[in-house]
Amino acid sequence: MSYRERDIKHEAGRYWVLDTGKAYAVMVQGVTHSTSESAYPRDPDGLSIAVARCNYLAATKGPTSASTAI
């Protein structure tokens, strides 16, 4: 499936929220691609939880990216 920039609902460091059309997925930026860390229902509560999870991961995991971790 192909996504567009408008499908990104929130960003915090290496973490971002993707609207997949079926759910809100919290994504983690990698070296060559992003992977889904968790997913939530596609409703206002699901978006709120996904944004909160994204912010939590950014705050607790820090700005370290996979490309700089050795």
Side-chain angles (χ1 to χ4, degrees), residues 3 10 18 21 28 33-34 37-38 41 46 49 52 55-56 63 65-67 69-70:
Y3 298 106
H10 181 74
L18 171 67
V28 181
H33 63 280
S34 294
E37 188 274 337
S38 56
I49 295 167
N55 291 339
Y56 170 80
S65 69
S67 63
I70 297 177

Side-chain angles (χ1 to χ4, degrees), residues 35-58:
T35 55
S36 174
E37 188 274 337
S38 56
Y40 304 93
R42 193 171 184 264
D43 60 25
D45 287 339
L47 178 58
S48 177
I49 295 167
V51 168
R53 177 71 177 159
C54 183
N55 291 339
Y56 170 80
L57 290 169

Side-chain angles (χ1 to χ4, degrees), residues 10-16 26-28 50-64:
H10 181 74
E11 293 180 78
R14 298 179 46 222
Y15 304 92
W16 51 285
V26 176
M27 307 295 288
V28 181
V51 168
R53 177 71 177 159
C54 183
N55 291 339
Y56 170 80
L57 290 169
T60 60
K61 301 293 183 184
T64 305

